[in-house]
Amino acid sequence: MDYAKPLPSYLVKRYHGWKATTYTENQVWYRRLATEGQRPRAMVISCCDSRVHVTSIFGADQGEFFIHRNIANLVPPYEPDGDHHGTSATIEYAVTVLKVAHLIVLGHSQCGGVQGCIDMCAGHAPQLEARESFVGRWMDILKPKYGLVADIEDAHEQARQFERHAVVASLENLMTFPFVSSAVQDGSLSLHGLWTDIGEGGLQCYDPHNKRFEAV
Amino acid sequence: MDYAKPLPSYLVKRYHGWKATTYTENQVWYRRLATEGQRPRAMVISCCDSRVHVTSIFGADQGEFFIHRNIANLVPPYEPDGDHHGTSATIEYAVTVLKVAHLIVLGHSQCGGVQGCIDMCAGHAPQLEARESFVGRWMDILKPKYGLVADIEDAHEQARQFERHAVVASLENLMTFPFVSSAVQDGSLSLHGLWTDIGEGGLQCYDPHNKRFEAV
Amino acid sequence: MDYAKPLPSYLVKRYHGWKATTYTENQVWYRRLATEGQRPRAMVISCCDSRVHVTSIFGADQGEFFIHRNIANLVPPYEPDGDHHGTSATIEYAVTVLKVAHLIVLGHSQCGGVQGCIDMCAGHAPQLEARESFVGRWMDILKPKYGLVADIEDAHEQARQFERHAVVASLENLMTFPFVSSAVQDGSLSLHGLWTDIGEGGLQCYDPHNKRFEAV
Amino acid sequence: MDYAKPLPSYLVKRYHGWKATTYTENQVWYRRLATEGQRPRAMVISCCDSRVHVTSIFGADQGEFFIHRNIANLVPPYEPDGDHHGTSATIEYAVTVLKVAHLIVLGHSQCGGVQGCIDMCAGHAPQLEARESFVGRWMDILKPKYGLVADIEDAHEQARQFERHAVVASLENLMTFPFVSSAVQDGSLSLHGLWTDIGEGGLQCYDPHNKRFEAV
C-alpha cells in the first residue's frame, strides 16, 4: 500500500508564495542560520494545540526559539532508564548542547489534554484509564496534582486552575533533571512558567514567591 | 530555591506589541476558536530546531495545524506498554480525537539530531551511547536505517540522505499504529513526508512510488 | 463606531505571496483582461457554500466564468416589478450584455439551504416561516417542488433528490425570463443543470429527455 | 423544448482531469467537509465579474470562505418585507447560522455594474432607467452615492472612486441589518472593505478612521 501522498495543491501554492516573498526577503539570514548553525536564546515547551500562539506573541523570527510541543505542555520526571524519552531528549539537547538561557513552559486555556486528565481523575473517562491509551498514560504525569483542584465545583474554573498546575508540575519536574537544576543554580539558565488565554490573548507569568500567576 | 523567574522585559514588550496589533486584528477569530474548539485540517510533526519554517511556509494561521515538535521529527514504533509516550500521545489525539485529514512529517537540512545519530553509529560519539543519554536513546529510533547511508563518503551528502530516511522511518512507524493504518486504509487520513532546506528555502515531498524525494 | 477593520495579517501575507507568484506569472493576461474587458464563455450559478468546487472542477482561470453565488443556487421567476432583484440582474447582465454561450446551474450535496427548505415544509423550522426570515423567504422559491420529495422516507435520499429538484427549478425559472428563452430558442445560449457530490467529487448532468441526472 | 443541454466536452474533459488529480490529492479533506459540515472563517461578497481574483489572492482552499457574488458586490439595505432577497439571505445565513468571524466586501477595478450606474445617473443610459431593467434597479442601491463623484471629470478616476464608494455603501448597508450590527458590537464579527486592481493585482483596504483606501 502507498502510505504517503503528494501534498495538497493549496499548500503547494502557498509554499511557492512564501518562497517568493518571506523567504526572498530573509534569504541572507536563513543562509547564515544554515551555515553557522542555530543559536536560540530560549526554549519553549508548549501544547500541540493548533490555537496556541506559541511564538507569534513574542514576535519571534526563525532562529530565536527552540520549540518542543506535546500534549498539555508536560515534562515528565527525570527517568534515565534507557527508553525513548522524547521530551527529556529535547530538554537535554536545549540545555546541554545549545545552552539556551531561558526555558519557558507555556500553558493555555481550553486545553483538551488537561480536561481529559480531570475527566479521567473524576472517573468519567474510563477509555483514558486503559493501559494502551497513550493520551491517558501521558496525562498520568499530571495526575498527582489533581487533589489541588478536585474540590473546585465550577468546571471552567477547575480547568483553568489545573492548566496552571500543569505548568507548575512541568517546572518542578524540570528541576529533577540534574543538568537543569545545576544550570539554574549556577545562573546560566532561568525557568519561566506562562499561561495564555486563547480567546482574550492574555498572558500570565508564574511568580514563585507568592505561588501565583500574574498578568505580564 | 526560586526556580522560576519573571519573563525578560524584551519578551514582555513584544507581547504587548502583539496584543495591540495582531491579536486585536484577529480577536473575533481567536474568540471563536476558544469557544468552539479547534478543528485543524492537518497535524505536522517537525523538529524542535529553531530554524525550521514549520507553518510559515504554508501561510498558516492559528487553528490550522496541530503541531508536535521533537528532536529530528521522529515517530517511535507503536508500543502500548503503559509508559509515558509523548509522541504517541500526540498522534493518538490528532487521529482519534481531532480526526485530522493530513499527517505531515517535516524533516530539514542541518539537523543536529540526525548528525548526532550518524556520529553515534560511526562510533564517534560515545557520550550518546550512554544509557542515560536521552538524545542518544531517542535517536536509537533512527539507528536501524544507518546501514542505508553508512557507505556515503561525503559527510554533507550522507547527512542530507539520512535526514530524508528519518522522514521515511517516521512514516513507516506511523503505519504501525493501528488507528493510523486503519484511517489510511479507509481513506480518512493521508500521510505526507516532506524535507525542507533551511538555507535555500527548498521543499521536497516523498514519492512512495519511486521512493524518492522530489521538489514540490 | 468603527465598523470596518484592517485585514487579518495572515491574509495580508498570503496576498503578498499570491502577488509575487500567481499574479506575476499571469500579469500579461490579467492586464489584457483589464484593458480589453471580460469575455466569459459561460455563467455559473452556484451555492455560497464554502465547500462547493465551483470552477476548480473545470480548471478555470481568471476570465472564463461569470459567477453568481447565492443560497442553494436558486433562480427566482421573472418578476420585473421595479424592486432590487440581485439574481435576476446577474442573469440579465450575463445574457444581454456579455452574451455568454452557456449558463450552468450547479447544485451540490449537503446543501444547508435545501435542507432548511425541507425542514420548513415539514413543519420543523418555524423560525424559517417568519416573515422576516430572509433565508426562509428565499427558500420559498423552491417550496412548490416539495411535493415531489415529501414521501421519501430516507432523509439523506430525500435531501439529495431535493437538491437536484432545486437545479431543475432554477432551469425552469430561467426559461421564464424572455431574454433567456429567446436566446435558447435562437441557439445562442444553452442551459446546463449540474449536481456535484462534495465528498466524492462526483458530477452529474441533468438530461431533459429522460428527466434524470446522469454522471458526466 | 429541451432547454437543458449536455455539458460541452471540453468541460467534461477538464472535470475528469480535476477528479484524477486535485480531487484525489484532497479526497480525505473533502470527505471530512462533507460529513462534518462547513466551518468557514469568513464570508466574501464580491462581484460576478469573471476577472475578479476572489479567493486565489488569499491562497484559499475548499471550506475557507463562504462566497456571495452579485453585480458590483452590493448589499441592499435591511428590508424584511417578505419578498425574495437573495443577498440578504446569504448574509443572514453566514452571520446567524455559520457565525463567520469576518465579512469581507471585495470591490474591483473596471466594474461594468458601477460604470452602468454612472452612465445611468449621468443620463446616458436610458435603458437602465426602465422599470423592467434588473441591472438598473439593482444599481439603484448605489445611486445615493453618485453625488460624491458627479464632479470628477476624468472618467477613469471617477469610476475608480465610485467602485470604492460601492464598497463603503455595502459596509454601511450591512450595518443596517440588526444581526450584523449586534455581532459587530459584541465583538463576534468584523467587517472589511477591500478593492482590487484586476490588471495590476493591487489590493487596498478601507480605513474607517481617515475614510480612505490604503494598500495592504
Side-chain angles (χ1 to χ4, degrees):
Chain A
M1 185 181 51
D2 285 340
Y3 54 85
K5 290 269 176 68
L7 208 56
S9 48
Y10 82 104
L11 291 180
V12 173
K13 268 187 206 153
R14 289 197 196 158
Y15 158 68
H16 287 298
W18 170 85
K19 183 84 190 292
T21 52
T22 304
Y23 172 75
T24 304
E25 292 158 20
N26 295 280
Q27 190 181 53
V28 173
W29 175 237
Y30 294 167
R31 284 183 173 169
R32 268 196 66 193
L33 283 176
T35 54
E36 298 183 6
Q38 62 177 327
R39 192 174 136 183
R41 183 161 171 180
M43 174 182 188
V44 176
I45 297 174
S46 83
C47 187
C48 300
D49 194 306
S50 65
R51 303 167 296 177
V52 180
H53 317 286
V54 180
T55 56
S56 63
I57 57 175
F58 295 132
D61 193 23
Q62 250 55 39
E64 281 199 74
F65 291 95
F66 185 80
I67 301 167
H68 173 54
R69 297 180 71 166
N70 63 35
I71 300 284
N73 37 272
L74 291 179
V75 174
Y78 180 68
E79 209 175 353
D81 56 11
D83 279 347
H84 306 320
H85 290 286
T87 296
S88 303
T90 65
I91 297 163
E92 182 183 284
Y93 194 83
V95 175
T96 69
V97 178
L98 299 174
K99 299 186 196 307
V100 295
H102 302 281
L103 208 165
I104 297 169
V105 177
L106 175 63
H108 70 99
S109 64
Q110 283 88 22
C111 183
V114 167
Q115 186 60 53
C117 189
I118 290 175
D119 295 343
M120 178 171 68
C121 293
H124 302 143
Q127 78 284 4
L128 289 176
E129 296 183 50
R131 178 180 160 87
E132 62 270 22
S133 165
F134 291 116
V135 173
R137 301 298 60 71
W138 179 251
M139 295 310 302
D140 282 348
I141 297 169
L142 185 54
K143 243 176 150 176
K145 293 273 185 189
Y146 180 64
L148 298 169
V149 301
D151 293 338
I152 300 176
E153 292 193 6
D154 180 76
H156 178 76
E157 181 59 22
Q158 185 186 38
R160 296 230 150 176
Q161 291 297 336
F162 209 32
E163 286 156 5
R164 292 180 180 88
H165 285 300
V167 173
V168 176
S170 289
L171 292 172
E172 289 170 355
N173 286 341
L174 277 170
M175 290 298 282
T176 66
F177 288 73
F179 46 82
V180 171
S181 62
S182 70
V184 168
Q185 264 164 331
D186 72 20
S188 61
L189 175 69
S190 64
L191 309 186
H192 311 273
L194 298 178
W195 177 88
T196 182
D197 182 318
I198 286 172
E200 298 308 310
L203 186 66
Q204 300 182 346
C205 187
Y206 181 60
D207 178 342
H209 292 288
N210 57 23
K211 301 194 181 307
R212 285 217 314 242
F213 281 79
E214 288 170 357
V216 306
Chain B
M1 183 180 52
D2 284 339
Y3 55 84
K5 289 272 172 66
L7 207 57
S9 56
Y10 82 103
L11 291 180
V12 172
K13 273 185 204 156
R14 288 197 198 162
Y15 160 69
H16 287 298
W18 170 85
K19 184 82 189 292
T21 54
T22 303
Y23 172 75
T24 303
E25 288 164 23
N26 295 281
Q27 188 182 52
V28 172
W29 177 240
Y30 294 166
R31 284 182 174 170
R32 269 201 69 197
L33 282 177
T35 54
E36 297 187 3
Q38 61 178 326
R39 186 176 145 181
R41 178 166 173 175
M43 175 183 187
V44 177
I45 297 175
S46 83
C47 188
C48 301
D49 194 305
S50 63
R51 300 166 297 176
V52 180
H53 318 286
V54 180
T55 57
S56 62
I57 59 175
F58 295 134
D61 195 29
Q62 252 55 41
E64 284 198 70
F65 291 95
F66 184 78
I67 303 166
H68 173 54
R69 298 180 70 167
N70 63 34
I71 299 285
N73 37 272
L74 291 180
V75 173
Y78 180 67
E79 210 175 354
D81 56 10
D83 280 347
H84 307 321
H85 291 285
T87 295
S88 303
T90 65
I91 297 162
E92 182 184 284
Y93 194 81
V95 174
T96 69
V97 178
L98 299 174
K99 297 184 198 307
V100 296
H102 302 279
L103 209 165
I104 298 169
V105 177
L106 174 64
H108 70 99
S109 64
Q110 284 89 23
C111 182
V114 167
Q115 186 59 54
C117 188
I118 290 175
D119 295 344
M120 179 171 67
C121 293
H124 303 143
Q127 77 286 4
L128 288 176
E129 296 184 51
R131 177 180 161 86
E132 62 270 21
S133 166
F134 290 116
V135 173
R137 301 298 59 73
W138 180 249
M139 295 310 301
D140 282 348
I141 297 170
L142 185 54
K143 245 177 149 175
K145 293 274 186 188
Y146 180 65
L148 298 168
V149 301
D151 293 339
I152 300 176
E153 292 193 6
D154 180 76
H156 178 76
E157 182 59 21
Q158 185 186 39
R160 296 230 152 176
Q161 291 297 336
F162 209 32
E163 286 156 6
R164 291 179 181 88
H165 284 300
V167 173
V168 176
S170 289
L171 291 172
E172 289 171 353
N173 286 341
L174 276 169
M175 290 298 282
T176 66
F177 287 74
F179 46 82
V180 171
S181 62
S182 70
V184 167
Q185 265 163 330
D186 73 18
S188 62
L189 175 69
S190 65
L191 308 186
H192 310 273
L194 300 177
W195 177 87
T196 183
D197 182 318
I198 286 172
E200 299 308 311
L203 186 66
Q204 300 183 346
C205 186
Y206 180 63
D207 179 342
H209 292 288
N210 57 24
K211 300 193 182 308
R212 286 217 314 241
F213 281 78
E214 288 171 357
V216 305
Chain C
M1 185 182 47
D2 286 338
Y3 55 84
K5 288 269 175 68
L7 207 57
S9 48
Y10 82 104
L11 291 179
V12 173
K13 268 187 205 154
R14 288 194 198 162
Y15 159 68
H16 287 298
W18 170 85
K19 183 86 189 292
T21 53
T22 303
Y23 172 75
T24 304
E25 291 158 21
N26 295 281
Q27 190 182 53
V28 173
W29 175 239
Y30 294 167
R31 285 184 173 169
R32 272 196 63 192
L33 283 176
T35 54
E36 298 183 6
Q38 63 176 326
R39 194 175 134 184
R41 184 161 171 179
M43 175 183 188
V44 177
I45 298 175
S46 83
C47 187
C48 301
D49 194 305
S50 63
R51 301 167 298 177
V52 180
H53 317 286
V54 179
T55 55
S56 63
I57 60 175
F58 294 134
D61 194 22
Q62 250 56 41
E64 281 199 73
F65 292 94
F66 185 79
I67 301 166
H68 173 53
R69 297 179 70 167
N70 64 33
I71 299 286
N73 36 272
L74 292 179
V75 173
Y78 180 67
E79 209 175 354
D81 56 10
D83 281 346
H84 306 322
H85 291 286
T87 295
S88 303
T90 66
I91 297 162
E92 182 184 285
Y93 194 82
V95 175
T96 68
V97 179
L98 299 174
K99 298 187 196 306
V100 295
H102 302 280
L103 208 166
I104 297 168
V105 177
L106 175 64
H108 70 99
S109 63
Q110 283 89 22
C111 183
V114 167
Q115 185 60 52
C117 189
I118 291 176
D119 296 343
M120 179 170 67
C121 293
H124 302 142
Q127 77 284 4
L128 290 176
E129 296 183 49
R131 179 179 159 85
E132 63 270 21
S133 166
F134 290 115
V135 173
R137 300 299 58 72
W138 180 250
M139 295 310 303
D140 282 348
I141 297 170
L142 185 54
K143 244 177 150 174
K145 294 274 187 190
Y146 181 65
L148 298 169
V149 301
D151 293 338
I152 300 177
E153 291 194 6
D154 181 76
H156 177 77
E157 182 58 21
Q158 186 186 38
R160 296 228 151 177
Q161 291 297 336
F162 210 32
E163 286 156 5
R164 291 180 181 87
H165 285 297
V167 172
V168 176
S170 289
L171 292 171
E172 290 171 354
N173 286 341
L174 276 170
M175 290 298 283
T176 66
F177 287 73
F179 46 83
V180 171
S181 62
S182 70
V184 168
Q185 265 164 330
D186 72 20
S188 63
L189 175 68
S190 64
L191 308 186
H192 311 273
L194 299 177
W195 176 88
T196 183
D197 182 319
I198 286 171
E200 298 310 310
L203 186 66
Q204 300 183 348
C205 186
Y206 181 61
D207 178 342
H209 293 286
N210 57 24
K211 301 195 181 308
R212 284 218 313 242
F213 281 79
E214 287 170 358
V216 305
Chain D
M1 183 183 53
D2 285 340
Y3 55 85
K5 288 273 174 64
L7 208 56
S9 57
Y10 82 103
L11 291 181
V12 172
K13 274 184 203 155
R14 288 197 199 162
Y15 159 69
H16 288 298
W18 170 84
K19 184 82 189 292
T21 53
T22 303
Y23 172 74
T24 304
E25 288 163 22
N26 294 280
Q27 187 183 54
V28 172
W29 177 239
Y30 294 166
R31 284 183 173 169
R32 270 200 68 196
L33 282 176
T35 55
E36 298 186 4
Q38 62 177 327
R39 186 176 144 179
R41 178 165 173 175
M43 175 183 188
V44 177
I45 297 174
S46 83
C47 187
C48 301
D49 193 305
S50 63
R51 301 167 297 176
V52 180
H53 317 285
V54 181
T55 56
S56 62
I57 58 173
F58 295 134
D61 194 30
Q62 251 56 40
E64 284 198 70
F65 291 95
F66 185 79
I67 301 167
H68 173 54
R69 297 180 70 166
N70 64 33
I71 299 285
N73 36 273
L74 291 179
V75 174
Y78 180 67
E79 209 175 353
D81 57 10
D83 280 347
H84 306 322
H85 290 286
T87 296
S88 302
T90 65
I91 297 163
E92 181 184 284
Y93 194 80
V95 175
T96 68
V97 178
L98 298 175
K99 297 183 196 308
V100 296
H102 302 280
L103 209 165
I104 298 169
V105 177
L106 175 64
H108 70 100
S109 65
Q110 283 90 22
C111 183
V114 167
Q115 186 59 53
C117 188
I118 290 175
D119 295 344
M120 179 172 67
C121 293
H124 303 143
Q127 77 285 5
L128 289 175
E129 296 183 51
R131 178 180 159 86
E132 62 270 22
S133 166
F134 291 116
V135 173
R137 301 298 59 71
W138 180 250
M139 294 311 302
D140 282 347
I141 296 170
L142 184 54
K143 245 176 150 174
K145 293 272 185 190
Y146 181 66
L148 297 168
V149 302
D151 294 339
I152 300 177
E153 293 193 6
D154 179 77
H156 177 77
E157 181 60 20
Q158 186 186 39
R160 296 230 152 176
Q161 291 298 333
F162 210 31
E163 288 156 3
R164 291 180 182 88
H165 284 299
V167 173
V168 176
S170 290
L171 291 172
E172 289 170 354
N173 286 342
L174 276 170
M175 290 298 283
T176 66
F177 288 73
F179 46 83
V180 171
S181 63
S182 71
V184 167
Q185 265 163 330
D186 73 20
S188 62
L189 175 69
S190 64
L191 309 185
H192 311 273
L194 299 177
W195 177 87
T196 181
D197 181 318
I198 286 171
E200 299 308 309
L203 186 66
Q204 299 183 346
C205 186
Y206 180 62
D207 179 341
H209 292 289
N210 58 23
K211 301 194 184 308
R212 284 217 314 242
F213 281 77
E214 289 171 356
V216 305

